[in-house]
Amino acid sequence: MLAMTLLLMQFMVSARAGLVNDVDGQANVGLHQQVPAGAPIQTGPQSHVEILLNPGSFLRLDENSTIVLDSVELTNIAVRVVTGAVLIESAGVDKHAPIRVTTGNLRSLILARGVYRFSGDTASVIDGKLRPADSSITVKKGQEVTPAGDGYEKVKLGVNTGPAGLERWSERRSSELARANAMAYRERSNGSLYSYGAYYPEWGLFANHAAWLYSPLLSGFNFIPQRSYRSYSGYRFVPRFVFADCGLSAGRIGPGFHPPPRAGAAGPTRGTVAGRSSTGSSRVHGGRGRTHGHR
């Protein structure tokens, strides 16, 4: 029964956006709930929720915030921020099907992988690239955009802007996901398939060829990128072609990636150099030119 439940959940999460992947505190949705289009998602004080969008894209809702998914189709994901703030961390976006986000009077399109914050009438690009839906203006890393009259005002992203609690929680979730990803690889490379749900690709439903994997460590779904991926927080994820070496699908290990060690946690260790990946390579925080005062 458990295996069948996980299989059904995996198909569901691959077929459309809107699966609740984590609840921290008070919310009007529950873990593993598939939220339909048009239904509000709300958080209470000191609470956060993580919602799966396309494979590799996570929406993280701040405390006292409300959003609505106007469309949950993977080729037409549409998010509307009603109150509060959200972060969207995306490891891959199909340029032919960008993620659409409406916040206040601003409608925008996420065009590239990165980290984005939305609140009020403002879209902030912590990393990545977006543009207003009805404009050719491109907003890049370290910039934010707000409607101004008949046009838009694009300015440099200020230091220490945005909800610090949401950014800290988002970084923690990135760490947890990377750790679960590395543990799944280690378990599967040892020939064990019991603890983790069945692995499979996206079945052609999304263009980035990523996959989901159920993780008991998270009590939710983890992300397996098609290629090597390091999150903005500095956490590295084992890609699908490395999982393929475990005999789960066709493929082979390519250059530029070294599988994580058999022992030790993935991601940064508090008190050591921040940004150390699950594979042992390191990067100091701020190495991507942060301007938003993440810490």
Side-chain angles (χ1 to χ4, degrees):
M1 181 62 70
L2 176 60
M4 179 61 69
T5 299
L6 296 179
L7 183 60
L8 290 173
M9 287 174 63
Q10 285 183 309
F11 176 77
M12 177 172 60
V13 75
S14 291
R16 56 187 184 272
L19 189 104
V20 180
N21 204 43
D22 191 67
V23 177
D24 178 25
Q26 303 173 358
N28 72 329
V29 293
L31 185 65
H32 301 158
Q33 178 181 342
Q34 182 73 44
V35 181
I41 303 172
Q42 300 173 323
T43 56
Q46 300 180 353
S47 303
H48 303 91
V49 167
E50 180 178 84
I51 304 293
L52 302 185
L53 299 179
N54 65 46
S57 295
F58 303 86
L59 183 150
R60 292 163 184 149
L61 188 60
D62 195 24
E63 63 176 342
N64 298 318
S65 298
T66 302
I67 65 161
V68 173
L69 298 175
D70 289 325
S71 173
V72 296
E73 300 302 319
L74 289 185
T75 56
N76 186 33
I77 297 172
V79 178
R80 177 160 43 95
V81 182
V82 180
T83 59
V86 302
L87 275 181
I88 294 179
E89 178 178 354
S90 179
V93 176
D94 181 0
K95 64 180 180 180
H96 300 296
I99 298 173
R100 297 184 290 130
V101 182
T102 299
T103 181
N105 295 314
L106 175 66
R107 295 183 298 114
S108 57
L109 307 176
I110 293 178
L111 304 176
R113 77 182 193 180
V115 180
Y116 306 86
R117 183 175 62 243
F118 301 90
S119 63
D121 289 331
T122 302
S124 303
V125 181
I126 299 170
D127 191 24
K129 182 172 63 176
L130 62 72
R131 68 174 174 83
D134 58 352
S135 172
S136 60
I137 296 174
T138 300
V139 186
K140 299 181 180 180
K141 180 176 73 172
Q143 298 178 328
E144 62 183 20
V145 62
T146 305
D150 294 331
Y152 298 93
E153 181 181 11
K154 183 173 65 173
V155 299
K156 183 177 179 180
L157 190 60
V159 177
N160 296 324
T161 60
L166 176 58
E167 293 199 14
R168 286 194 298 268
W169 188 73
S170 181
E171 180 172 345
R172 191 186 82 190
R173 286 296 299 163
S174 182
S175 170
E176 292 170 347
L177 290 162
R179 186 170 70 253
N181 170 274
M183 290 181 67
Y185 169 76
R186 287 196 293 269
E187 179 165 326
R188 286 177 179 267
S189 64
N190 287 331
S192 173
L193 300 177
Y194 177 75
S195 296
Y196 287 81
Y199 161 88
Y200 71 98
E202 81 304 329
W203 292 356
L205 292 171
F206 193 70
N208 71 358
H209 302 292
W212 294 114
L213 181 73
Y214 183 80
S215 168
L217 176 68
L218 297 173
S219 295
F221 284 89
N222 195 11
F223 166 56
I224 304 177
Q226 168 69 0
R227 300 177 180 85
S228 299
Y229 172 68
R230 180 178 292 176
S231 73
Y232 183 76
S233 302
Y235 301 95
R236 195 166 184 177
F237 288 72
V238 182
R240 217 180 80 185
F241 67 83
V242 176
F243 272 82
D245 194 55
C246 300
L248 296 172
S249 65
R252 62 183 177 86
I253 296 178
F257 183 87
H258 302 284
R262 297 283 178 173
T269 300
R270 302 302 179 189
T272 61
V273 177
R276 187 171 302 278
S277 78
S278 63
T279 63
S281 61
S282 63
R283 177 181 64 81
V284 176
H285 276 297
R288 297 191 181 187
R290 297 188 183 189
T291 60
H292 67 296
H294 184 80
R295 295 290 187 184

